[in-house]
Amino acid sequence: MNKSMADLLARAPVITDGAWGTELQARGLPPGEIPDVWNLTNPDKVIAVARAYVEAGSQVILTNTFGANRFRLAGHSLEHKLAEINRTGVQLSREAAGSSALVFASIGPTGRLLMDGSVTEDDLRAAFSEQAEAIASASPDAIVIETMSDLGEATIAIKTAKATGLPVVACVVFDSGANKDRTMMGVTPEQAAAELSEAGADIIGANCGTGIERYVQVCHRLRTATNRPLWMKPNAGLPRLVAGRPVYDTTPEQFAGVAPALVDAGAAFVGGCCGTNPDFIRALRARLKGGT
Amino acid sequence: MEDIKALYDAILTGQEKVAREVTEKALAAGVEPLKLVNEYMVPAMDEVGRRFECNEYFVPELLISARAMKSALELIRPLLAAKGAQPVGRVVIGTVKGDLHDIGKNLVAAMLEGGGFEVIDLGVNVTPEKFVETVKQKNANVVAMSALLTTTMPAMRATIEALKNAGIRRQVKVIIGGAPITQKYADEIGADGYGESAPSAVTLAKKQLAATA
């Protein structure tokens, strides 16, 4: 782990950011369009989202590169722009962050399953390498592998990201099973913590899921299985559909109200996922940092 | 016959090789192909579905069981076809226009194949026209549509309209699924059914076809 990361952790809990997709949609991203392409077509809007999080108090912001892997981009005939989309994504967040926040570059899942034979390990390795290298060329402070369900895919992503020399955060989604404490593939927090650590992730955690309350217990369980710093970015609850649109009922204050329990459970990084916005970050900041 | 029970277990635990071996042996010993399907294989997949529904099984278990089932079925299908037996149903499946998510759709396709359906998988971003054309070409009796995005759900309605306009809406049962989909939405757009999970899609498709018969 490098010095800026160590400095950051010395000030834990560290406030990260909230959702990006919905923030971009609020700024005009058409439904169905892949958000990542906006790095090239609407950079000012992407910077505006990043800036909104920095102004709300994020100490770490992510990048608009979650889906910029060859599989997802190919679906939009954009694979030839892959390097540019990733590089620019890091630069835009850096411009918004200035000296106020660090930039952790986002890498999401490919959307393919190793287990159904639609993709091989080599395919995944090539795809993640390509994205990680493009991201690294713009020098972010770290890489975040997020929203993973399958530890096989996550492990490949971590190893390729580590090969760039950058610190790596790896987090998975616990949204399945009777207690919503398993990934879609049935992975428990203990298994995830052990395997992600083993794969070389510097920071381990969970994002998305079914709300912040359930992630307190998940965080406890991750803590028992790894000594790495923990990263938690839960959803603002589960959405209800209103006129075909997802609506999240958790308020910023309710969300921030649970955050101290998350920190007590061991979280060093706290932010939000689906349904959260800069107001949630402001509330987190006030709650965890006394409004400073 | 004691050793055919191993076929049930092999499918339940996702042992593809064992499932094939037991099937081969049973067929060589003269066991009726249909008996294998109806008394061992289908009940095994039903149990897989039940375990998934009550959170004992997760996606990997579903996939390996479906694979074992499919593999054993491949040995049996030519024999059934030679006797003139038809598949349970012929399904045209795809993720709707504008939507590129295929994990859920692939799971449903695997479970339907495991359930004895002939599955024609059109992939992702499938236009209403493509659904219509394939139903006609393959003489399918089930259309299964998937959407992960709230923004692509309307393509389901458009596909149902296209089936109506082509005059083949009554020929098929339309079933839909995906994270944002609800029974209410299925009713609203005039789909025949909504499946909450991959195993429930199989039950649903069978129930729908039985209702026609």
Side-chain angles (χ1 to χ4, degrees), chain A residues 25 31-32 72 75-76 111-118 176-178 182-186 241 244-246, chain B residues 52 54-55 58-61 63-64 67 98 100-103 106-107 125 149-153 180-182:
Chain A
Q25 277 170 7
R72 287 191 195 263
H76 300 266
R112 304 294 175 97
L113 281 186
L114 279 169
M115 277 209 64
D116 70 7
S118 61
S176 301
R182 306 278 204 112
T183 74
M184 177 182 92
M185 306 300 277
L241 271 190
R245 297 238 148 230
Chain B
F52 183 79
C54 62
N55 299 302
F58 290 88
V59 168
E61 290 83 10
L63 285 171
I64 58 170
R67 194 183 301 158
L100 302 169
H101 296 87
D102 64 357
I103 289 179
N106 290 350
L107 285 176
N125 195 17
L149 304 173
T150 52
T151 50
T152 54
M153 285 162 59
I181 310 298
T182 57

Side-chain angles (χ1 to χ4, degrees), chain A residues 40-103:
Chain A
L40 306 185
T41 56
N42 288 279
D44 51 323
K45 305 276 175 57
V46 177
I47 288 197
V49 172
R51 203 164 272 147
Y53 281 121
V54 175
E55 283 165 5
S58 295
Q59 297 166 280
V60 166
I61 58 168
L62 271 51
T63 57
N64 184 35
T65 54
F66 177 82
N69 64 67
R70 60 169 71 163
F71 296 107
R72 287 191 195 263
L73 290 180
H76 300 266
S77 306
L78 284 166
E79 63 273 40
H80 59 294
K81 301 271 191 191
L82 187 144
E84 202 183 343
I85 289 173
N86 280 292
R87 219 168 33 233
T88 311
V90 176
Q91 288 159 354
L92 295 174
S93 284
R94 181 67 81 193
E95 190 175 331
S99 56
S100 307
L102 295 187
V103 173

Side-chain angles (χ1 to χ4, degrees), chain A residues 15 55-57 59 256 281-292:
Chain A
I15 311 288
E55 283 165 5
Q59 297 166 280
I281 300 308
R282 222 166 272 122
L284 275 182
R285 179 98 194 184
R287 190 77 185 215
L288 296 177
K289 299 284 189 183
T292 56

Side-chain angles (χ1 to χ4, degrees), chain A residues 196-209:
Chain A
L196 299 176
S197 301
E198 173 69 29
D202 301 288
I203 297 163
I204 280 157
N207 72 306
C208 214

